[in-house]
């Protein structure tokens, strides 16, 4: 068999994303409503703002807008996480970034499996935020042991998907038939199971320890807990969700609304109460309910350099210290957020000058430019345009906010901050990929191309390259 008969991983990813969306809409009809709302708002925004349309078009974002989606799952053991890594690799999705959620009082740490190259993201941007339970943070030894036993005795993957993953690894690809089977088999891992694996009292014990633990250990699999389309106006979407009584969370996570959006803003409708079944001690079924699944939306802005990210973290932390419980006083929270972020320039040239964000450099002319030109001159004279690079990753403080609003109540067990990237990577079976390197590479390649187009040879570009490579 020749390599050309294999299905490109982006096609498998797209088919999987579609199948997942269909399944989730069927399982959680309110998610279908959210999708419609976002589509409507995006159409209106594009119609009202031709500049936005152009900007999205120029950065290759327009054609993938309607299928921009992420999802999230939570798993319980190292071996589950390691097999997921192999499963996602079939779809060209690799672990990018380490997120410590213990900081936000959540006993998990996470990564996001996503495509790595820009052309892959453009082909299909689907990604999965994946969290691993920190059993080491469960203080109650008895519960800890029970959780371990439940996790060790479940198998969240079908035999079929394991076989296909092995085939993929041997052949370095899947045929059309195998790819179709793979999507169906892989989907099973993410399906909802109404039947819990424990009785009611055991479920309650986990719930009281931390609601998240009950969600992770009491079921047969790590049901997909939300999907997320991309909106062009999250403020409008939030208002509409309120008007439609969709029970949105109280605040939009992330930076405030800006002329030039940075990073990521997110909100969600809160997790629904869903009917589940317990086994009682006689093996009979008993009705109960579980709250875990929700729908989320996101608005993406530009990726920030480590320097920009530090400024973002520092400003957000300042606001969180001033307004300890944003949910209790939403207006004050937004006001303080706006006030603090006045310190973050909202002008592309300034963001570039202060090296706070990543950009693609586009040569705007084919005419030769003086070899003595510097970037300021090239930009000011319209020879080069700067296009912000879209942020493709996540934010731990926002993620913790999303977790919290879907856990209904404050956890009774305190979780202390304890990042452990080494333990996470050991469970995963490889290091996570640095998100900053990804953006820096896109930027560096665009600079090279831009200089070539402007007629600079290697020696001539040295000065200009030096000027921008201080940018990580
Ligand atoms: C994941 C929450 C984090 C995001 O978009 O930041 C997340 C979860 O609830 O499992 O999805
Ligand atoms: Ni999410």
């Amino acid at each position: 068999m020749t390599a050309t008969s294999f299905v490109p991983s982006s096609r498998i990813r797209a088919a999987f994303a579609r199948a997942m969306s269909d399944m989730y809409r069927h399982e959680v009809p309110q998610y279908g409503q959210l999708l419609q709302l976002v589509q409507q708002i995006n159409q209106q925004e594009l119609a009202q703002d031709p500049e936005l349309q152009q900007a999205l078009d120029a950065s290759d974002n327009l054609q993938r807008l309607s299928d921009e989606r992420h999802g999230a799952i939570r798993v319980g053991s190292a071996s589950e996480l390691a097999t997921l890594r192999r499963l996602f690799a079939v779809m060209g999705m690799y672990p990018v970034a380490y997120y410590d959620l213990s900081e936000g009082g959540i006993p998990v740490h996470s990564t996001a499996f996503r495509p790595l190259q820009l052309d892959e993201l453009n082909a299909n941007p689907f990604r999965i935020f994946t969290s691993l339970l920190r059993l080491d943070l469960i203080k109650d030894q008895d519960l800890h042991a029970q959780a371990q036993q439940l996790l060790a005795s479940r198998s969240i993957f079908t035999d079929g998907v394991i076989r296909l993953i092995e085939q993929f690894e041997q052949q370095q690809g899947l045929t059309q038939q195998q790819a179709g089977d793979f999507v169906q088999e892989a989907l099973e891992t993410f399906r909802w199971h109404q039947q819990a694996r424990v009785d009611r009292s055991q479920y309650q014990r986990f719930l009281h320890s931390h609601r998240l633990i009950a969600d992770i250990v009491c079921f047969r699999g790590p049901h997909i807990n939300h999907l997320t389309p991309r909106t062009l106006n999250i403020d409008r979407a939030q208002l509409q969700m309120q008007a439609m009584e969709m029970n949105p969370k109280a605040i939009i996570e992330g930076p405030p609304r800006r002329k030039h959006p940075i990073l990521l803003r997110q909100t969600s409708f809160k997790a629904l109460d869903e009917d589940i079944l317990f086994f009682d001690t006689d093996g009979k079924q008993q009705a109960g309910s579980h709250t875990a699944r929700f729908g989320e939306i996101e608005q993406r802005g530009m990726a920030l350099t480590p320097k920009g990210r530090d400024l973002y973290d520092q400003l957000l932390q300042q606001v969180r210290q001033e307004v300890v419980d944003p949910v209790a006083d939403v207006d004050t929270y937004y006001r303080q957020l706006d006030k603090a972020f006045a310190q973050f320039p909202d002008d592309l040239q300034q963001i570039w000058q202060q090296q706070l964000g990543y950009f693609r450099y586009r040569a705007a002319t084919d005419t030769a430019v003086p070899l003595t030109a510097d970037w300021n001159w090239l930009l000011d004279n319209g020879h080069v345009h700067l296009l912000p690079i879209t942020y493709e990753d996540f934010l731990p403080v926002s993620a913790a906010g999303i977790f919290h609003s879907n856990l209904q109540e404050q956890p009774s067990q305190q979780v202390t901050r304890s990042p452990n990237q080494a333990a996470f990577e050991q469970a995963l079976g490889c290091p996570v990929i640095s998100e900053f390197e990804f953006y820096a590479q896109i930027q560096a390649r665009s600079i090279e191309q831009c200089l070539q187009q402007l007629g600079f040879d290697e020696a001539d570009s040295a000065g200009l390259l030096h000027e921008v490579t201080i940018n990580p």
Side-chain angles (χ1 to χ4, degrees):
M1 182 174 301
T2 62
T4 47
S5 55
F6 292 142
V7 181
S9 42
S10 63
R11 288 245 314 274
I12 311 181
R13 183 166 70 251
F16 178 74
R18 229 175 1 255
M20 186 88 105
S21 177
D22 289 346
M23 180 173 86
Y24 201 58
R25 250 176 305 169
H26 185 73
E27 288 180 351
V28 182
Q30 195 172 319
Y31 175 64
Q33 220 183 328
L34 185 65
L35 268 184
Q36 270 176 4
L37 174 67
V38 165
Q39 233 161 39
Q40 242 172 34
I41 290 178
N42 287 355
Q43 273 163 13
Q44 286 163 358
E45 290 293 314
L46 286 170
Q48 276 167 13
D49 189 351
E51 260 180 48
L52 175 68
Q53 181 146 3
Q54 269 170 15
L56 282 171
D57 213 10
S59 61
D60 295 337
N61 276 321
L62 190 57
Q63 86 268 19
R64 68 165 150 123
L65 183 66
S66 58
D67 54 17
E68 180 83 37
R69 238 171 239 147
H70 82 253
I73 55 165
R74 307 149 181 174
V75 292
S77 70
S79 82
E80 290 177 352
L81 182 67
T83 307
L84 276 178
R85 169 177 58 77
R86 295 168 60 207
L87 181 148
F88 286 128
V90 175
M91 298 187 271
M93 296 157 80
Y94 305 95
V96 179
Y98 171 75
Y99 304 105
D100 169 37
L101 278 294
S102 67
E103 184 155 6
I106 309 284
V108 302
H109 44 185
S110 320
T111 189
F113 290 95
R114 71 157 171 87
L116 286 184
Q117 306 298 334
L118 212 49
D119 54 347
E120 282 287 313
L121 280 158
N122 286 334
N124 183 279
F126 192 63
R127 61 208 83 179
I128 297 263
F129 190 93
T130 304
S131 301
L132 173 66
L133 178 61
R134 299 279 303 270
L135 272 178
D136 57 310
L137 299 182
I138 305 183
K139 302 274 173 348
D140 180 330
Q141 284 312 307
D142 191 35
L143 266 189
H144 185 138
Q146 282 177 38
Q148 230 163 5
Q149 187 272 325
L150 276 166
L151 292 167
S153 63
R154 77 176 182 183
S155 166
I156 64 170
F157 301 101
T158 66
D159 294 341
V161 88
I162 298 287
R163 233 182 354 259
L164 286 159
I165 291 171
E166 284 165 358
Q167 254 161 358
F168 172 83
E169 288 168 350
Q170 279 156 20
Q171 308 167 167
Q172 295 300 306
L174 293 181
T175 64
Q176 190 76 35
Q177 172 74 43
Q178 288 168 340
D181 292 346
F182 172 84
V183 169
Q184 288 316 310
E185 295 283 340
L187 203 58
E188 290 308 307
T189 298
F190 301 86
R191 195 180 286 288
W192 175 247
H193 299 284
Q194 204 188 16
Q195 179 69 62
R197 293 180 69 218
V198 297
D199 63 27
R200 189 190 299 276
S201 69
Q202 199 173 11
Y203 172 84
Q204 293 290 351
R205 278 199 301 278
F206 283 122
L207 205 62
H208 286 139
S209 158
H210 197 295
R211 292 189 76 90
L212 196 62
I213 301 175
D215 184 57
I216 297 176
V217 307
C218 293
F219 297 88
R220 259 173 48 208
H223 36 254
I224 179 90
N225 66 51
H226 69 276
L227 286 177
T228 309
R230 180 172 170 191
T231 174
L232 294 174
N233 189 337
I234 201 162
D235 301 282
R236 253 175 78 191
Q238 172 84 344
L239 287 176
Q240 287 269 10
M241 273 160 75
Q242 278 159 354
M244 289 166 77
E245 293 182 2
M246 286 175 81
N247 195 18
K249 71 192 287 301
I251 59 156
I252 298 173
E253 301 288 344
R257 182 196 180 102
R258 294 159 47 93
K259 178 156 181 272
H260 297 286
I262 51 171
L263 298 171
L264 172 66
R265 300 178 72 208
Q266 297 164 291
T267 183
S268 68
F269 67 74
K270 288 199 202 160
L272 307 170
D273 251 339
E274 297 182 89
D275 293 339
I276 58 165
L277 295 166
F278 297 111
F279 284 119
D280 67 15
T281 29
D282 309 328
K284 286 207 211 79
Q285 286 182 327
Q286 264 189 6
S289 77
H290 180 66
T291 315
R293 302 195 300 168
F294 56 99
E296 185 192 44
I297 54 178
E298 61 182 27
Q299 183 169 1
R300 290 191 176 264
M302 87 180 77
L304 300 184
T305 61
K307 184 181 171 202
R309 180 54 188 274
D310 281 349
L311 180 58
Y312 169 79
D313 285 339
Q314 184 201 318
L315 295 175
L316 188 67
Q317 201 189 0
Q318 187 185 315
V319 177
R320 293 287 169 132
Q321 271 161 6
E322 284 158 3
V323 189
V324 179
D325 186 5
V327 173
D329 194 350
V330 176
D331 289 340
T332 308
Y333 173 71
Y334 281 144
R335 214 174 316 116
Q336 295 301 95
L337 195 65
D338 278 335
K339 217 166 111 193
F341 274 83
Q343 282 183 56
F344 201 116
D346 197 5
D347 170 271
L348 287 189
Q349 194 105 351
Q350 274 186 43
I351 294 174
W352 172 79
Q353 247 149 14
Q354 295 181 32
Q355 302 203 332
L356 299 172
Y358 290 106
F359 293 92
R360 281 203 287 167
Y361 292 57
R362 280 260 167 103
T365 43
D366 283 331
T367 49
V369 294
L371 292 179
T372 50
D374 64 8
W375 287 112
N376 275 317
W377 188 89
L378 289 169
L379 291 167
D380 288 346
N381 289 283
H383 294 292
V384 174
H385 290 166
L386 292 176
L387 299 170
I389 296 174
T390 304
Y391 188 59
E392 305 289 354
D393 296 289
F394 294 86
L395 298 168
V397 175
S398 297
I402 301 274
F403 268 106
H404 272 304
S405 46
N406 289 295
L407 293 171
Q408 289 174 318
E409 61 194 34
Q410 289 305 311
S412 48
Q413 182 194 278
Q414 287 297 314
V415 173
T416 40
R417 182 180 181 275
S418 54
N420 194 343
Q421 184 166 344
F424 185 82
E425 291 179 335
Q426 194 178 9
L428 182 67
C430 71
V432 297
I433 296 155
S434 152
E435 68 276 35
F436 292 111
E437 264 169 45
F438 163 79
Y439 301 110
Q441 262 173 31
I442 299 175
Q443 175 169 286
R445 271 200 294 269
S446 82
I447 291 173
E448 253 169 58
Q449 263 177 12
C450 176
L451 288 175
Q452 262 171 25
Q453 247 170 302
L454 292 174
F456 287 83
D457 66 22
E458 232 168 273
D460 298 332
S461 335
L464 284 165
L465 279 176
H466 178 72
E467 228 188 293
V468 283
T469 41
I470 332 157
N471 227 342

